[in-house]
Amino acid sequence: MARRVRRLRRPRTISRGPRYRAHDSVSSQHRIDEPQRTFDSCRLLSGVASDAPSGAPRQHPGTKSALYSRAADRGDAIPPGNTLRPMGTSEIKPPASSTFDQEQMISLVRFTERTMATDTPVPFGAMVVNTESSQLLVRTVNQASQKNDPTCHAEVNAIRLACRRIKNHLLRGYTLYTTCEPCPMCMGAILWAGLDRVVYGATIEHAARHCNQIYIPASEFVAKSDMHCEVVGPIEAELCYSSLFSHPNMIKRFEIWRSNNR
């Protein structure tokens, strides 16, 4: 009897896109209806990925055309071949122009401002950006109420997502932008994550007009630690306050927060 010879099929080559893409994260209540691709592999927070072309040429972050070409509600997709590994301090070349930080803060304010059209608006947004290349890694907002977790501040959420994205517990080579000066809890997370810089918008005093605060400035917190992180701010403080903290829907939400804390 002839023996059957089993033929092995050659494995099919599967085309894959870039390993990392800019990640916007908002809760389901904060989802904005746009033609965007969803990303939820971590299932930590729901989010939307950038719809910028993956092969788009990068412009130098310091040029005016590069600054104004970034849409306020999207992040740049990372070109294939770029690896987002944590960089050593010697490799870091932070942007010298304060205009760059201003543009990044304006973009974050517009992103956070989208929550004002929902039933659960929040004035606190944060994003992590590659310090050298200016590429957006993640963007998110405060979700303490939605997650029933008081540690889900925007900065902590951004750090958690960023670390999961690059699969590393350290974020050396990255800058964190936040619409409000970080509280001691968030500053502790920023220092332990090894971020190069933190750039904030509104101050603790701005936030204290509407909700409870811990009066320890971010720069003072860093000065009392063994770790280093450049603290820059306030940047676009008035825009952060007028667009987020003073928004009519946010004012109503603050009243609910105050009644729950009594």
Side-chain angles (χ1 to χ4, degrees):
M1 182 181 293
R3 298 178 61 183
R4 289 187 178 180
V5 179
R6 187 175 181 181
R7 299 181 61 182
L8 298 178
R9 292 185 178 180
R10 295 180 61 182
R12 297 169 61 185
T13 303
I14 300 175
S15 175
R16 298 185 183 276
R19 184 177 180 183
Y20 301 115
R21 292 185 185 276
H23 181 178
D24 291 345
S25 175
V26 290
S27 68
S28 58
Q29 293 93 335
H30 296 158
R31 183 66 55 82
I32 306 299
D33 294 329
E34 294 183 79
Q36 296 171 312
R37 296 187 296 274
T38 60
F39 177 88
D40 195 20
S41 62
C42 295
R43 297 198 180 277
L44 175 65
L45 300 172
S46 59
V48 290
S50 167
D51 57 354
S54 59
R58 296 286 304 172
Q59 295 172 305
H60 190 278
T63 62
K64 185 174 181 180
S65 59
L67 293 174
Y68 287 92
S69 65
R70 296 185 180 90
D73 59 347
R74 69 179 66 174
D76 294 329
I78 297 168
N82 283 15
T83 55
L84 296 181
R85 60 181 179 83
M87 297 180 294
T89 306
S90 60
E91 301 176 63
I92 297 168
K93 298 177 182 178
S97 174
S98 60
T99 304
F100 177 81
D101 287 336
Q102 291 173 353
E103 292 297 327
Q104 293 287 69
M105 187 62 67
I106 292 172
S107 172
L108 180 59
V109 169
R110 298 311 175 207
F111 169 76
T112 309
E113 194 175 22
R114 295 190 292 178
T115 69
M116 299 300 154
T118 70
D119 294 333
T120 55
V122 288
F124 307 108
M127 67 182 182
V128 176
V129 174
N130 188 295
T131 305
E132 184 180 47
S133 67
S134 79
Q135 291 171 343
L136 172 65
L137 184 62
V138 295
R139 252 185 333 190
T140 187
V141 295
N142 180 298
Q143 292 186 317
S145 299
Q146 287 72 34
K147 299 293 181 180
N148 293 318
D149 184 348
T151 68
C152 284
H153 286 195
E155 297 92 332
V156 175
N157 283 343
I159 290 172
R160 287 171 176 165
L161 287 169
C163 287
R164 290 195 177 209
R165 178 59 58 83
I166 67 171
K167 297 181 179 179
N168 197 306
H169 69 288
L170 294 175
L171 294 173
R172 296 193 182 106
Y174 292 93
T175 295
L176 185 143
Y177 290 84
T178 174
T179 57
C180 186
E181 187 172 1
C183 71
M185 177 187 72
C186 294
M187 274 310 305
I190 289 168
L191 290 177
W192 288 118
L195 284 151
D196 302 333
R197 309 166 69 233
V198 57
V199 182
Y200 66 87
T203 64
I204 293 175
E205 288 70 22
H206 283 127
R209 299 175 187 175
H210 305 282
C211 54
N212 295 334
Q213 292 295 306
I214 301 174
Y215 296 90
I216 301 178
S219 56
E220 182 179 332
F221 191 96
V222 174
K224 293 184 177 180
S225 75
D226 294 328
M227 293 158 280
H228 174 72
C229 178
E230 181 185 358
V231 178
V232 181
I235 299 292
E236 296 292 340
E238 291 305 318
L239 176 65
C240 291
Y241 186 76
S242 61
S243 299
L244 303 174
F245 291 86
S246 298
H247 193 281
N249 291 347
M250 195 64 240
I251 294 296
K252 296 178 182 178
R253 190 66 179 174
F254 279 136
E255 294 176 357
I256 296 176
W257 289 5
R258 283 193 292 269
S259 62
N260 291 337
N261 290 332
R262 289 173 184 171

